[in-house]
Amino acid sequence: MPSPFPGMDPYLEHPALWPGLHSRLIVGLADYLGPLLRPRYYVEVEERVYLLTPEGSFPFLARPDVMVATAPGVGPSTPVRSIPAGGARIVEIPVPEEVRERYLVVREAGTHQVVTWLELLSPANKIPGEGRQAYLRKREEVLRSRVHLVEIDLLRAGEPMPVMGDGRDGHYRILISRWEQRPRALLYVFTVRDPIPVFRLPLLPGDEEPEVDLGRLLQTVYERAAYDLRVRYEEEPVPPLEPPFAEWAATLLRERGLRSG
């Protein structure tokens, strides 16, 4: 069963679903582009690792699948009666979590030089902290080089990546920055009502550039991963949609038979 939404499904942004979707989309993009780019180029799935401290993070960064063990009799269910003078208090400390983020690089066969850098943003990239700083450092490095940047943001929550110009009037963004045209770049801005724009993957001058239909890939991943069996369309998405998009989504889901009332 396909997703009921014409483009990005906002329910897939839920923190319990997004990490798996991110991995599937990155691998799916690599599998799709690999045969189209042979024999001139090849595609690699690469990874960066850093520590993320949960202090000050947004709720959409929560990992629901992480189990927390507590000592017997200690925990949120333990009633707090009184704290004697000089007595110890139960507190929580921020524990850094190792975060691994996958991205794609297109390399020229023979020279192995990076031609295009493709990022699918994660929640940690969009809030203040080490995750965002690590990404911005790498982004600036790419923007100073002769490497094309493709930046895909399918997350409504958090702070969009910096651009000079209009880019905050939608939910989602795709940035195409060709190195020879900088500082100018193409920015596709769209909402949950819109299909995901099809774009061409920038390559070396004179080479045919394949179209990337991210919307079709998303629908393929949705069906193969059986997200229709996991998404609770009777509930509001996380994060919630703002009006009038919430009303539009509710009507759409009722028309598809996925929500009653």
Side-chain angles (χ1 to χ4, degrees):
M1 177 180 173
S3 166
F5 288 87
M8 178 57 188
D9 187 327
Y11 286 82
L12 299 181
E13 299 174 60
H14 192 288
L17 299 177
W18 176 257
L21 179 67
H22 186 282
S23 295
R24 287 177 178 270
L25 283 177
I26 285 291
V27 174
L29 280 167
D31 290 344
Y32 168 75
L33 291 171
L36 298 179
L37 297 178
R38 288 178 57 91
R40 182 83 161 104
Y41 307 92
Y42 62 93
V43 184
E44 282 190 322
V45 179
E46 299 193 356
E47 187 178 70
R48 62 175 161 268
V49 182
Y50 57 87
L51 293 179
L52 179 69
T53 301
E55 183 178 12
S57 63
F58 290 172
F60 73 97
L61 261 180
R63 301 286 186 103
D65 54 341
V66 175
M67 296 180 62
V68 179
T70 58
V74 177
S77 59
T78 303
V80 178
R81 296 184 177 87
S82 63
I83 301 175
R89 299 170 181 240
I90 302 298
V91 298
E92 295 183 3
I93 57 174
V95 179
E97 178 184 357
E98 185 178 82
V99 175
R100 297 178 178 270
E101 292 178 344
R102 289 179 170 182
Y103 56 92
L104 296 183
V105 293
V106 177
R107 295 181 183 269
E108 184 183 22
T111 67
H112 309 295
Q113 293 297 311
V114 177
V115 174
T116 306
W117 189 283
L118 191 151
E119 286 278 355
L120 177 60
L121 297 183
S122 70
N125 302 147
K126 300 190 65 182
I127 65 169
E130 178 55 30
R132 185 175 179 88
Q133 291 305 313
Y135 176 69
L136 287 176
R137 287 193 295 268
K138 188 60 187 182
R139 187 182 195 253
E140 292 171 2
E141 180 183 329
V142 172
L143 292 176
R144 290 195 303 266
S145 71
R146 292 192 171 192
V147 175
H148 306 302
L149 173 66
V150 176
E151 186 177 79
I152 301 170
D153 184 357
L154 298 180
L155 293 166
R156 288 170 293 121
E159 183 69 15
M161 289 299 119
V163 297
M164 296 178 65
D166 188 12
R168 292 176 175 266
D169 55 341
H171 295 132
Y172 312 110
R173 284 158 287 276
I174 298 176
L175 178 72
I176 312 293
S177 173
R178 297 175 180 269
W179 73 263
E180 70 274 11
Q181 296 178 0
R182 290 179 186 133
R184 294 185 176 181
L186 290 177
L187 181 66
Y188 298 91
V189 181
F190 51 105
T191 73
V192 293
R193 292 178 174 174
D194 306 315
I196 299 177
V198 176
F199 62 90
R200 290 197 175 274
L201 185 75
L203 298 172
L204 293 175
D207 288 346
E208 183 178 357
E209 299 180 343
E211 284 189 339
V212 179
D213 191 341
L214 187 61
R216 178 177 294 183
L217 175 60
L218 179 64
Q219 286 289 1
T220 299
V221 168
Y222 183 97
E223 295 190 53
R224 290 181 177 175
Y227 282 113
D228 61 304
L229 303 181
R230 293 187 269 172
V231 174
R232 299 176 181 175
Y233 287 115
E234 284 286 350
E235 302 175 1
E236 295 302 314
V238 177
L241 287 164
E242 75 278 23
F245 295 101
E247 290 83 354
W248 172 84
T251 300
L252 176 71
L253 294 173
R254 283 194 293 269
E255 291 175 350
R256 300 292 193 274
L258 298 172
R259 181 180 291 188
S260 58

